[in-house]
Amino acid sequence: MISKSIAVNNDGHLTIGGADCVDLAERYGTPLYVFDENLIRSTIAEFRESIKKHYGGNGRVLYASKAFSCKEMYRICRSEGIGADVVSAGEIYTAVSAGFDPSLLVFHGNNKAYDELLYAVKVGVGRIVVDNFSELKNLESIAESLGKEVNIILRIKPGIDVHTHDYIKTGQIDCKFGFALENGEAMNAALECLEHKGVNLKGFHCHIGSQIFTTEPFCDAAKIMIQFAADFRDKSGVTVTEIDLGGGFGVKYVESDDQQPFDSFMATAADALKAECDRLHFPISFVYIEPGRSIVGPAGITLYKVGAIKHIENVRTFVSVDGGMSDNPRYALYNAEYTIEIANKATEPKSFVATVAGKCCESGDLLQEHVKIQQPDVGDTLAVLTTGAYCYSMASNYNRIPRAAVVFVKDKESRVVINRETYEDIIKNDV
Ligand code: LLP
């Protein structure tokens, strides 16, 4: 199976973390997001141990919580001893409400509002990743008004163009995030950080993109970041102590995806980073990594009920389910590929070619086209695999469809971690 969490039981039903998907759909209703908590925890542990192996105590895993954010997820991160990357005051608020230590939060974003920055500094967020000049000015004024020092990291675009979908590339100059190296903007920004009172420049950050399968771009990024830090030292006399290499480690959505062991990314990047530090006589820094998709993606699935089946002779068969782009916009946005199973027929051959459609009033509301599944019937439980990342977090109320519930399975036992929205929730802000 495509993920360690997924198997088939003696009834021929798909299971996740040992729990029967047909039973889960029956018990909690559909659409339903289900996560295998043990896989989330073991993947976090894999990253944590890998960082320890390569950097000793000088490293930290930050879970990129944009991939899937809720109070229970921050509790898991806390209990696994890692930090988190947050990208809005809403994510900070969720983390803090769950008792997460704010000093282990790193706050990203290309257009953080003044109020968001103020809130972040007030609650004691550990690092603010500065993305533009106006943010620097805002942080100086916030530091002064609160009488606090603000620890910042500067976001750099290392000029690396990775092989992934255009919308999730972030390392090249033509990108809204961070400061470019090629045109000197990054160096000017770094030097300018030193001019702002109450703002401490701790280091540099880069994130080259998401769903990347090869290790080379991470190795290139690590080298470029150290070279930049050394150039900055030579120009300013200041030696920064932190390098944040971002996330982006690719996961398996379909058989052809060549998922690499996550440690191989860490190993190549660490070797490159250490060699560059040696070459430039630069002290080995404290290193952060920010995996998001890789921590939650393969641990999650979405369950639906099959409704209408519409066969159009010589065209295609639409198999419609009771969710769609409202709980998973990724096919509509990125043509993202998925593996799909009919959970109550998991041992049957996948001989049927379907276009799995959602229920939204939108022709583009598809979950997958021309995908092989088992022979579908109305009332079947359909499972889309590897939906743990960027599905719940990108869900919407389009067509006033309530957001689906999220259930975690641990040692075969299930529990709700996010309730299904009600129609009352849908109108609660209407006046
Ligand atoms: N760090 C930063 C600064 C990021 O911008 C991101 C993702 C990550 C870490 C985590 O990257 P990951 O390990 O998850 O690849 N919605 C898109 C993905 C957008 C990624 C945004 N930034 C999708 O559904 O594919």
Side-chain angles (χ1 to χ4, degrees):
M1 275 292 179
I2 203 110
S3 151
K4 285 183 213 158
S5 295
I6 308 296
V8 179
N9 65 15
N10 292 338
D11 294 331
H13 291 178
L14 201 72
T15 60
I16 173 160
D20 185 313
C21 291
V22 181
D23 291 349
L24 290 167
E26 185 69 29
R27 175 163 173 201
Y28 298 103
T30 51
L32 182 72
Y33 301 99
V34 189
F35 287 75
D36 175 8
E37 184 177 336
N38 286 341
L39 183 58
I40 296 177
R41 286 186 182 271
S42 62
T43 311
I44 291 177
E46 199 178 323
F47 276 112
R48 201 186 49 222
E49 294 314 306
S50 171
I51 283 292
K52 206 180 194 175
K53 178 166 120 197
H54 299 295
Y55 302 104
N58 289 329
R60 180 172 299 146
V61 180
L62 305 169
Y63 165 59
S65 61
K66 68 208 79 182
F68 171 66
S69 167
C70 68
K71 286 168 77 173
E72 189 66 355
M73 207 41 225
Y74 294 107
R75 289 186 199 111
I76 288 177
C77 292
R78 184 185 58 185
S79 79
E80 291 294 335
I82 62 166
D85 143 1
V86 286
V87 79
S88 71
E91 286 182 356
I92 299 172
Y93 186 82
T94 311
V96 170
S97 309
F100 199 82
D101 176 356
S103 73
L104 296 177
L105 294 175
V106 174
F107 186 17
H108 285 279
N110 67 304
N111 189 23
K112 306 174 194 77
Y114 188 89
D115 285 351
E116 287 185 296
L117 289 170
L118 183 64
Y119 172 63
V121 177
K122 265 190 185 154
V123 300
V125 163
R127 299 284 181 272
I128 310 243
V129 181
V130 168
D131 193 276
N132 53 68
F133 290 109
S134 54
E135 204 177 319
L136 260 181
K137 292 199 193 87
N138 286 342
L139 283 174
E140 179 170 27
S141 104
I142 289 168
E144 197 188 342
S145 70
L146 297 178
K148 276 189 162 188
E149 298 264 298
V150 183
N151 291 324
I152 65 162
I153 292 178
L154 195 70
R155 178 154 182 171
I156 309 294
K157 288 184 265 199
I160 294 175
D161 198 356
V162 289
H163 182 72
T164 190
H165 192 284
D166 276 352
Y167 292 1
I168 51 178
K169 284 180 185 178
T170 43
Q172 74 288 5
I173 186 163
D174 184 9
C175 166
K176 70 171 181 169
F177 299 103
F179 296 97
L181 273 182
E182 294 99 309
N183 56 11
E185 194 186 50
M187 187 57 75
N188 290 341
L191 293 169
E192 183 158 335
C193 289
L194 306 178
E195 305 299 314
H196 289 267
K197 282 201 215 80
V199 173
N200 298 328
L201 178 64
K202 290 287 190 183
F204 301 116
H205 166 275
C206 71
H207 169 73
I208 52 181
S210 195
Q211 186 61 355
I212 300 165
F213 288 113
T214 51
T215 54
E216 292 77 25
F218 292 97
C219 161
D220 294 345
K223 277 195 218 155
I224 291 170
M225 295 300 280
I226 295 300
Q227 175 75 64
F228 179 72
D231 287 350
F232 176 66
R233 172 196 59 190
D234 298 345
K235 277 213 161 62
S236 66
V238 174
T239 304
V240 298
T241 51
E242 299 180 10
I243 298 289
D244 185 336
L245 295 173
F249 319 111
V251 305
K252 206 176 186 74
Y253 285 92
V254 291
E255 278 304 338
S256 56
D257 286 334
D258 188 17
Q259 182 175 325
Q260 305 296 315
F262 300 133
D263 183 61
S264 67
F265 291 101
M266 304 308 126
T268 7
D271 285 352
L273 187 138
K274 287 174 193 166
E276 203 61 0
C277 284
D278 274 356
R279 190 177 74 81
L280 298 165
H281 306 290
F282 193 79
I284 293 183
S285 321
F286 191 88
V287 174
Y288 300 98
I289 54 152
E290 301 171 338
R293 188 190 309 273
S294 42
I295 286 180
V296 283
I301 64 171
T302 314
L303 299 176
Y304 304 91
K305 274 273 172 274
V306 174
I309 299 178
K310 189 175 282 174
H311 177 65
I312 308 172
E313 201 56 45
N314 298 325
V315 181
R316 62 167 104 198
T317 304
F318 286 101
V319 174
S320 292
V321 295
D322 53 357
M325 66 191 297
S326 43
D327 56 77
N328 182 355
R330 297 192 68 257
Y331 186 73
L333 267 176
Y334 323 112
N335 262 320
E337 288 186 284
Y338 283 104
T339 301
I340 300 186
E341 303 281 340
I342 294 196
N344 48 306
K345 298 175 178 164
T347 50
E348 292 181 18
K350 291 170 98 173
S351 51
F352 192 90
V353 178
T355 287
V356 178
K359 63 177 286 177
C360 296
C361 194
E362 177 95 23
S363 295
D365 171 27
L366 305 174
L367 288 171
Q368 204 66 193
E369 288 180 276
H370 313 301
V371 63
K372 284 202 166 158
I373 59 172
Q374 294 86 356
Q375 176 75 38
D377 286 295
V378 175
D380 280 342
T381 302
L382 182 140
V384 180
L385 309 188
T386 327
T387 58
Y390 304 111
C391 287
Y392 179 83
S393 62
M394 292 174 78
S396 75
N397 286 129
Y398 182 46
N399 295 162
R400 296 231 135 180
I401 295 173
R403 280 188 181 75
V406 181
V407 161
F408 275 18
V409 172
K410 184 163 175 22
D411 305 327
K412 297 188 185 168
E413 295 299 320
S414 58
R415 69 184 194 282
V416 173
V417 303
I418 305 178
N419 288 315
R420 185 177 300 284
E421 279 181 344
T422 62
Y423 293 122
E424 217 25 66
D425 292 329
I426 295 283
I427 60 162
K428 74 171 186 284
N429 294 318
D430 291 10
V431 287

